Amino acid sequence: MTVYTKINEEFSHNYLGYSALAMIVSTCLGGIAIMTTVMHGHQAMQMFFVFLSVAICSAHNASILTVQKAPVVLKLFISSVLINSLLILTNTLSL
């Protein structure tokens, strides 16, 4: 079994608990990503990064609130964490 398969199986088994935690993590990371982005100004590129962070966090949260299947929610959560972590890392290193 791959790591993703194990995580997907565990996430599907405890969908309600993990989706609540995932919503909190995604929203917090998104807020930090937006804060670090706006610290560099408010030009068009920064506003695009803010839009990207808000869009992926909103998509993930909406998938939970509309009770999508567990694999869809997990893929959106992984996407949200990766994109927001990349934004945080990039903005922190460019200070």
Side-chain angles (χ1 to χ4, degrees):
M1 286 180 116
T2 63
V3 174
Y4 176 76
T5 307
K6 290 179 185 177
I7 292 172
N8 190 19
E9 184 179 309
E10 180 67 26
F11 190 85
S12 297
H13 182 63
N14 273 335
Y15 178 73
L16 287 177
Y18 284 132
S19 63
L21 289 174
M23 186 179 279
I24 293 168
V25 169
S26 175
T27 305
C28 288
L29 273 177
I32 294 169
I34 290 171
M35 180 192 68
T36 58
T37 301
V38 174
M39 285 172 47
H40 293 296
H42 56 278
Q43 288 81 23
M45 186 60 89
Q46 281 86 13
M47 291 302 108
F48 173 73
F49 290 149
V50 167
F51 167 76
L52 183 66
S53 181
V54 168
I56 192 66
C57 288
S58 295
H60 172 254
N61 290 345
S63 71
I64 292 172
L65 293 174
T66 58
V67 193
Q68 299 296 315
K69 294 182 180 178
V72 173
V73 174
L74 181 61
K75 287 177 185 175
L76 284 169
F77 175 65
I78 292 170
S79 300
S80 175
V81 168
L82 290 177
I83 289 171
N84 286 320
S85 296
L86 184 65
L87 283 173
I88 292 168
L89 184 67
T90 306
N91 288 321
T92 303
L93 293 178
S94 66
L95 285 177

